[in-house]
Amino acid sequence: MDSSALFQTYSRAPVEFERGDGCWLQTNEGERFLDFGSGIAVSCLGHAHPHLVKAIQDQAEKLWHVSNLYEISSQGRLAQRLVANSFADRVFFGNSGAEALECAIKTARRYHYVNGAPERYRIITFAGAFHGRTLATLAAAGQEKYLEGYGPRVDGFDQVELGDLEAVKAAITDETAGILLEPIQGEGGIVEPPSGFLRELRKLCDEHGILLVFDEVQTGFGRTGDMFAYKWSGIEPDILAAAKGIGGGFPLGACLATNEASAGMTPSTHATTYGGNLLAMAAGNAVLDIILQDGFFEDVQRRSLIFKQGLASVVDRFPDVFSEVRGKGFLLGLKCVLPNMDVNSALRDANLLTVPAGDNVIRLLPPLVVSEEEMSQAIERIENAAAALSATQPGDGAA
């Protein structure tokens, strides 16, 4: 690929794909790869799922875009289905996870503004988080490597260590509007908060009259074995940002909120040109048609447990390559002993696609429709790559 005319912002792997089918991708030369990256947790139904393809094709033949100046009935339908399957009462549709987070931050700040406390605009966030690439979401995550070179960071975010409840309490002031976190940190390395931490945050928010905001861009839409990851915690947020799996690969994001939390989002306070267009709504509704079928989430739980057990066996046999299995559902990670980028390359050489993450972790994010046979093939390829990597380590293979 000639990339000379592109911004040089990506270090791309030297492979290009022409088509996909389920959990498989095929290059222009016909070489097949088992895709356990899913476009970074996006292609929840795999590639070219017939129901999703037909929904988009049918809509594309009629109408693509009219803007939010007019009624879009499929928007209302998708919103109602999301409300029926979550804590939320209202939904705003955008185009991406970063946009969903921007809307969530604005919704939290606006809530306090309309309730007579405009000084409450600060959001408590957590080290290791990733919330997007806009200036505000970069400031929310606070990772210096992503903030460098962009001038003063957007004000209004106070970061503490994940799991440190006392630090959270100390960070709450009369200016605090809310607490924002991922139920499981994805980009940060598949890091889960300590048991009971989310419950304690819910209590703190209730005590101080602030809003609990969940970033479920990566954890939502069945990725952890339920519609949203917050359902495993026994508590509910006030606001939630979603994207990735919601459109099965079509760009789509959503901000979900209760009636109370979203009361300040009145006409002209927030908007989007493309968000909620007819093609996106066709994709979103088609994804829900599949994942809301009876038994779908339970089957994700069953298959993902089998896969996680297989990964644990690989870790046990190759402790010089991997040290730990992390995660829930099909949001799994292998903590690496060797540099994770080297491991990721070795897996790609074995025709298995994975995604690097923070804390020297490799993410395994297969489509939610992955079969047991495909999981077995993935385990075999991980084993082969681990054996090859292990053989190159000093002291290995000596008689």
Side-chain angles (χ1 to χ4, degrees):
M1 182 183 86
D2 181 3
S3 62
S4 60
L6 296 171
F7 269 39
Q8 301 299 297
T9 54
Y10 298 110
S11 298
R12 303 176 193 266
V15 60
E16 183 175 358
F17 300 107
E18 180 183 48
R19 62 180 66 246
D21 179 22
C23 296
W24 296 87
L25 285 169
Q26 182 175 309
T27 68
N28 298 332
E29 294 76 31
E31 187 176 6
R32 282 163 55 84
F33 286 74
L34 191 51
D35 184 8
F36 272 48
S38 298
I40 316 181
V42 167
S43 304
C44 62
L45 302 183
H47 303 286
H49 190 283
H51 183 68
L52 184 54
V53 169
K54 186 176 188 305
I56 293 175
Q57 285 178 337
D58 288 350
Q59 184 60 53
E61 290 174 352
K62 294 186 288 186
L63 192 61
W64 292 22
H65 175 79
V66 295
S67 88
N68 288 293
L69 295 174
Y70 310 102
E71 296 287 345
I72 301 174
S73 60
S74 54
Q75 225 181 83
R77 178 171 182 252
L78 182 55
Q80 288 290 348
R81 297 173 82 184
L82 293 175
V83 164
N85 289 278
S86 74
F87 71 97
D89 301 304
R90 295 191 181 277
V91 182
F92 180 93
F93 292 113
N95 305 289
S96 67
E99 287 186 43
L101 262 298
E102 288 276 344
C103 182
I105 292 165
K106 291 173 72 174
T107 300
R109 290 180 172 185
R110 185 81 183 171
Y111 166 81
H112 293 287
Y113 175 84
V114 299
N115 282 286
E119 73 281 1
R120 303 192 78 167
Y121 72 98
R122 305 193 69 83
I123 308 283
I124 296 171
T125 61
F126 295 88
F130 183 84
H131 298 301
R133 296 280 189 164
T134 67
L135 289 175
T137 53
L138 285 175
Q143 295 195 40
E144 294 298 332
K145 64 180 179 179
Y146 297 134
L147 285 160
E148 183 181 1
Y150 296 119
R153 68 177 63 188
V154 175
D155 184 38
F157 300 97
D158 301 305
Q159 194 169 81
V160 300
E161 290 296 319
L162 184 66
D164 190 339
L165 192 63
E166 294 307 311
V168 177
K169 292 177 181 178
I172 295 174
T173 71
D174 292 340
E175 294 183 334
T176 303
I179 298 174
L180 166 64
L181 78 163
E182 302 154 277
I184 302 174
Q185 290 184 347
E187 185 79 16
I190 317 297
V191 179
E192 297 186 60
S195 177
F197 185 67
L198 298 182
R199 286 179 178 270
E200 292 301 319
L201 293 185
R202 178 72 271 177
K203 290 179 184 177
L204 281 177
C205 287
D206 293 341
E207 290 170 6
H208 293 273
I210 58 182
L211 300 178
L212 182 60
V213 185
F214 279 175
D215 175 348
E216 293 233 28
V217 168
Q218 191 159 158
T219 56
F221 293 87
R223 181 54 55 183
T224 67
D226 209 333
M227 183 67 171
F228 294 109
Y230 80 80
K231 290 176 176 283
W232 299 106
S233 69
I235 58 98
E236 296 179 340
D238 302 294
I239 303 170
L240 182 148
K244 290 191 180 288
I246 186 175
F250 195 95
L252 177 56
C255 179
L256 288 67
T258 63
N259 277 326
E260 182 180 3
S262 63
M265 303 304 280
T266 51
S268 299
T269 57
H270 192 53
T272 172
T273 296
Y274 291 107
N277 71 60
L278 290 114
L279 279 178
M281 296 300 94
N285 276 303
V287 167
L288 290 192
D289 290 342
I290 302 300
I291 70 171
L292 292 181
Q293 291 178 0
D294 288 345
F296 183 89
F297 295 139
E298 290 79 5
D299 197 41
V300 169
Q301 295 169 31
R302 181 188 65 81
R303 284 181 285 113
S304 64
L305 180 59
I306 293 171
F307 186 50
K308 190 173 184 180
Q309 291 170 340
L311 293 174
S313 175
V314 175
V315 170
D316 288 343
R317 282 178 285 130
F318 296 97
D320 56 340
V321 181
F322 304 115
S323 63
E324 182 186 6
V325 183
R326 298 176 177 179
K328 192 174 186 66
F330 284 124
L331 180 65
L332 296 174
L334 285 170
K335 170 78 171 178
C336 299
V337 175
L338 304 178
N340 65 342
M341 296 302 292
D342 293 347
V343 177
N344 189 64
S345 295
L347 293 173
R348 189 173 66 249
D349 290 343
N351 288 50
L352 177 67
L353 302 178
T354 57
V355 182
D359 200 27
N360 205 37
V361 164
I362 289 292
R363 278 176 285 181
L364 295 148
L365 312 165
L368 304 184
V369 295
V370 63
S371 69
E372 291 185 38
E373 170 59 27
E374 288 163 334
M375 293 190 303
S376 295
Q377 289 190 47
I379 293 293
E380 182 179 352
R381 294 177 190 211
I382 295 169
E383 288 175 335
N384 291 339
L389 289 165
S390 181
T392 66
Q393 300 309 300
D396 288 343

